[in-house]
Amino acid sequence: LMLRNIMTKVCQRYSIGKPRVVVGVPSGITEVEERAVEEAVLYAGAKEVYLIEEPMAAAIGANMDVAEPSGNIIVDIGGGTTEVAVISLGGIVVSNSIRVAGDELDEDIVNYVKREMNLAIGNTTAEIIKTEIGCAMPLMTDLSFEVKGRDLATGLPRTVHISSSQVQEAMQESIFKIVDIVKNTLERTPPELASDIMEKGIVLAGGGALIKNLDKLLSQVTGMPVLIADNPLDCVARGAGKTLDEIEKL
């Protein structure tokens, strides 16, 4: 229903019939899940559906030279999944996907506040805390954020302050799972592409790329330069759009 609504708005605005649609999907999904995505989009009113793996879409959206024979690595930290892919000659050479990403980090913060502060907060509040003061490594100056929630003992509203170091502690386990998947992908990368990656560095995309000091942590662990893509939140959408423009070629 949501897709049909969006497509109707777009088609009416640009006076087009049934559109061709490119959908970004996680690299590790099964054939059954692929078919489910295709059917949902066709039912929503699409003429044709093309699936593109999210890390490839993110790489195209981040303006990486995916068609070149040299190696590139992209880490796309979205809402539900973190995708890591080594890309060369327009294809994915090595990829890894883990269901630990933005939503999981929000959940970590909710659980931490519940456990350590005896306060119930929602996922929306947790996401605001994450974007405002969330960090993967200690910041130069510890930041503080005012959190309003429901006291679990009295059931009444209460306000507490949470620091960036506490948020780092809350997210630490999930952050290291993301770091491990990047290391794992690099270990499986062919040596001839590894030297290219060493030179170009790792590119971060997706909302998770905006977590403070995540690039520094990854750089410290891998010994490689880490860059954050321009407009990391939009990379997959932009990449899917560029793919539509050159659908025959890609």
Side-chain angles (χ1 to χ4, degrees), residues 7 71 85 91 168 173 209 217 226-227 230 247:
M7 279 193 227
Q168 181 204 337
E173 197 178 320
L217 178 65
V226 178
L227 316 161
D230 295 334
I247 200 82

Side-chain angles (χ1 to χ4, degrees), residues 117-121 148-158:
M117 299 174 174
N118 211 30
L119 196 74
I121 60 168
K148 294 181 176 73
R150 180 170 51 81
D151 191 303
L152 290 168
T154 63
L156 299 171
R158 181 161 65 94

